[in-house]
Structures are given as structure tokens and as C-alpha cells.
Amino acid sequence: MDYNLLARKIIANVGGKENIQELTHCFTRLRFVLKDDKKAKKEIIEKLEGIVTVISNGGQFQIVIGNKVDKVYAQVIKEIGEVTSSGESNNKGGILNQILNKFAAIFTPVIPAMAGSGMLQGILAIVVQIYGKDIKTTDTYIILDAAAKAVFFFMPIILAYTSAKVFKCNKFIAMIIGATLCHPELVKLMTSAKDVSVNLFGIGITKSNYTSSVIPIIIAIFIFSYIEKYIEKIIPEVIKVIMVPTLSLLIMIPATLIIFGPIGIYIGNGVNWIYYQLLAISPILLGAFIGGMWCVLVIFGAHRAIVPIGINDVAKTGRQTLLAFAGAANFGQAGAALGVFLKTKNKELKTIAASGTVTALFGITEPAIYGANLRLKKPMVCGVICGAIAGGLMGWGGSFGTAFANQGILTIPVYAVGAKPFICYLIGICISFFGSAILTYIVGFEDLKEEKQPEEIKGVVLNQ
């Protein structure tokens, strides 16, 4: 595939460079915020080689490509340069959608690092089970364990950088704010004996350990993006290079520790409390809901609202249940796509379904969903049903993961903790995968007819 050619065709058919206000990408999609959606030629883009589908949702024009999206993104950026938000967009969507889009842009770049760290934690957990806990005292284990946990310990620094990119402020000052929250001396001060108070300029500070925290730094950098702009307006040009960073830190560090940090901690704790209250009421129902509806939420982008729960859980407690249940959904869509592959007589659909099955087994479900399951409807329903059954079983068994890792066959070691939880997880993903494949094959679907277009017509469409 010629990624440069595809990138130029995408740019041309979204209305040109001047129509692009923002551009980000996740594992499978280019996410455009366009100044005018009406200028985008959705039908033409969908017919380009390498494009799975196009979705216009929540103020974003999303082009689903698959696991090659990073290569296409790189070529698009090469053609248009780093996008800055110049001008107003007519397609902002509602406030909720804007918030979800910002969260997606903040967390998406971090997920590969968390996935790699999660895999390493899973491997170390298996090694401990094989060789015993004494191995934890060896230098090799200590070093690898530090590598596995670093991304979570220094989460404020990492999220400070991605937040600064999203909110368009100085990335390095933002990272210093995050690093301050992780500084050993501050951590020691904030985690000292409870009867020892902490004061800043005579003002009492709520004591909390901000290492591994998520929400406080995002709020802080959001506020900083406005503070920085104001300071730049009032400081003379000749001393900006010194005074803007200095005043930014003098304002933001106290404000973060006194105001925004505690607010963020309370918000994070509140969201987690609600999730775990639901888990306590009925882990089976919560598991069934996430296992069945996760991929439906993915279609609408609504899953982004609950992803921080899993990230925060791992950062604070070293374990999470959210992605265990979500794994049931992923394997369900993989199985449904396999059922389509086995059932369909359409050669093109068979190829799409086979590819979608493989990518879904590795945690990327969009090719399976948009290429086959949702397109045919019944396979999507079969995947949802079996995913819900599997998620309910995992909830009953208390399945959980020791890291935040994308849900697929490579991340199974992350869930290898405890006999009953792990066995229920394994049985659950088997039910989800094989059950969806069998149910899809039995229930069937309205197969797509082979469509043969004249080569000259196809050539005209693809080259527009």
C-alpha cells in the first residue's frame, strides 16, 4: 500500500488542509475535527484502498483504517504539518463529546506504553508463580519490576505532556508540574505520619500521594493553558523567556497542591467508588454489561468515558476488572468475525472477516466490527450475547488484571492471578470466542452478493 498516496487522497477528500482543524489517531482511526464536515466526501473516502469505513460522530470525522493507521497518520502529518486549531469549527459537537474527545487525545498516546508495561507485569507474575516469591529479591526482578511500574508511577509527568499537547501550552513547563507531584521529597512529605500537617504559604494542604494519579494533573494542565496565555499577554517581550516559565510555576505549583490536586483526587475516587459500588451490588451484572456492550460503546466512542477507571485502578491498586470484562467483548467480536468467515460465500467478505478475526484476537476490534459484524448485523448481536455471558462469568469468578493492557491473546498473562479468577477468565474468553463463532454460523446472516464493477469505473472512484 502506498501510504503517501492514500494520505494525499484523504487530505483532498476531507476538504483539503485548510479544512482540517485538529487531527489525532488511536489504534485504528484517524480522528479529524473539520471546520466544515460538508466539504468531506465520505463516500469517496470509504472506497479508497485500505479504508475500512468512515464515521462522523460527536464532532469528529473518523476514518477507520486498522493497524496501519500510524503509518497513514505519519504521512498525513508530513503533508499538512502539525495541525493547530486556527479558526472556529462548525462541528464541535456537544460539551460531553468535546470532553470525551479531549480525554481520548490525552490517553491514546499513552496506551501502547501501558500495554507494554502491562505485558511485562504479567510475565513477571507468571515467573513469580513458577519460581516462588523469593525471586522478588533478586536484582534482575527488581530492575524489570521497576521498568514495568515506571509508566504508572510517573503518570503525572506523562499525562502532563499529552495534556499540554491537547490544551496547547508549554509541554516542558507542564512536565515540570507533573514531575513536582512525583518528586521523592514531596512524596515523603505528603505521605508522612497523619498527625503532621503540611502548609504552603501558611495554607494547609490536603495530604495525598500524587504518584500514579490521573485526574489532578489533567485539571492542572487545563488551567495552566489559560494561565500561560494570560501571563504571555502582560509580560514584556524582552523578558518573556524567563518570566513566563517562572510565574507559571509560582502560580501553578501552589494552585495544584492547594486546589486542583485535591479536586482531582476526589473526582477520581468518586468515579471509582461508583464503579465498585456497582461491582459490589452484582459483579455478574456489571461483568455482563461491560462484556456485552463494550464494543457497542466503542462504536459510539462512549467507552472513552470509562477507560480512566481502569487506568486509575491500576495506578492506585495495581489491579483492574474493567478490561477483563472488556476482553470478553473483544473475543466475542473476534469469534463473530470467524463465524462470518466460515459461513460467507463472498470472497471479499471472507478475506475481510479473516483479517478482522486475527486483529480482534490481538485486541483491535474495529476491522471485525465495521468490516463484517456490524455490516451484517446478526454477527454483531451474536458477539454481544456471548460477550455478555462471558463477562458475567468473569464477574462471578472475580477475574482481574494486574495491569492496564489491551485485551487480546498476548495479554492473557496479565490476568493469570489466582486460580478461580484466572480459570474463569480463560473459560470466559473461550465461551465468548467459540460461542460467537458457532452462534453466528448457526444463526446465519444475509450474505453479501459478489459485485463486479468494470475496472474503468473502479479506477475513477479510487483516484478521485
Side-chain angles (χ1 to χ4, degrees), residues 127-188:
V127 170
V128 170
Q129 290 182 17
I130 294 174
Y131 294 100
K133 293 184 178 180
D134 290 341
I135 199 172
K136 290 186 175 182
T137 61
T138 65
D139 294 344
T140 301
Y141 180 91
I142 292 171
I143 292 170
L144 293 178
D145 186 56
K149 294 177 179 177
V151 68
F152 298 102
F153 186 88
F154 296 108
M155 187 65 74
I157 302 175
I158 296 170
L159 291 183
Y161 176 80
T162 58
S163 297
K165 287 189 69 175
V166 170
F167 299 129
K168 296 177 174 51
C169 54
N170 189 300
K171 302 178 186 66
F172 297 100
I173 298 300
M175 291 171 69
I176 291 174
I177 297 171
T180 301
L181 299 180
C182 300
H183 194 282
E185 290 300 321
L186 181 65
V187 173
K188 182 180 178 180

Side-chain angles (χ1 to χ4, degrees), residues 377-389:
K377 297 181 178 63
K378 289 183 181 180
M380 184 74 189
V381 175
C382 292
V384 168
I385 291 172
C386 293
I389 294 171

Side-chain angles (χ1 to χ4, degrees), residues 280-300:
I281 292 171
S282 178
I284 295 175
L285 288 179
L286 182 60
F289 175 78
I290 300 296
M293 297 301 294
W294 178 263
C295 287
V296 177
L297 296 175
V298 167
I299 293 172
F300 296 101

